Amino acid sequence: METHNSEKETFVRFSVLQRFLHLFTMLGFTGLAITGFSLKFSSQWWACGVAWLVGGAGHLAYIHRFCAVITYVCVMVHVLWLLYFKFVLKGSLTGPQTLFPRGKDLRDLVAHMKYFFGNPKIPEFNRFAYWEKFDYLAIFLGMNTMGLTGLFLWFPEFFSTILPGYFINIAQVLHLYEAIVAVALKFVVHMASAHLRPEIFPVEKSIFNGRTTREKIMKEHPGEWKALAAGSEGIEQ
């Protein structure tokens, strides 16, 4: 992990690519939520206002699809990076400091629940805690569901030629409820856990500037700090 010498020692937590993808996914997802719900609930006064601002329902649909392309391109770039990292750079995707779930995450969840109910010992989280991995998997897997059902709704005539027409209706229902779940997770759960905790409020800066401090790692990710101190970080994503 790269360090930066200054009055307060800092470490790189997120690479330029990770911050870039987060920014564009955030913008695309927000655009999808606003335009998608405005189209679905078009009879509501606020939806009419959004449609008026962009020039009508036709423009809303165009912006929604544009945001969908931007968001899914970010997902595909991330997948390509994982493949490059694994097979070209020979990195580990499943090590203790990665975003992929491990058995320890379940143990951390149980221990964290005990801590909330009075146990004085807090789990020693690695580079990414269990709720951060949940955030990652929620959008990584959820975008595939949204992408597939969105394609059905974007090109209903084509898909109706190879599948029964009721698949379009199923896609419409799944797309709506997946969107509701995704918005609830990202704008409520993710915002609360990532940005609105008292020690971080009003914003977690590391996802935007890429850096974190030694003190913050030692406090929030002691498992990662032990690995750094032992020189066993290795090549992990």
Side-chain angles (χ1 to χ4, degrees), residues 13 37 40 46 52 86 106 112 142 186-187 206 236:
R13 178 160 174 78
F37 286 128
K40 180 61 181 178
W46 54 267
W52 177 81
K86 174 67 177 177
L106 181 58
H112 212 193
K186 291 306 166 188
F187 287 104
S206 64
E236 295 181 337

Side-chain angles (χ1 to χ4, degrees), residues 60-111:
L60 267 181
Y62 174 81
I63 295 171
H64 187 75
R65 291 162 182 164
F66 176 78
C67 290
V69 171
I70 293 297
T71 305
Y72 207 76
V73 164
C74 290
V75 173
M76 295 307 299
V77 169
H78 179 63
V79 170
L80 290 174
W81 161 248
L82 291 179
L83 293 173
Y84 174 79
F85 184 82
K86 174 67 177 177
F87 296 106
V88 178
L89 299 183
K90 306 299 181 182
S92 171
L93 296 177
T94 57
Q97 309 306 330
T98 69
L99 270 167
F100 285 83
R102 296 164 56 87
K104 182 180 183 301
D105 297 308
L106 181 58
R107 296 192 295 272
D108 285 347
L109 171 60
V110 173

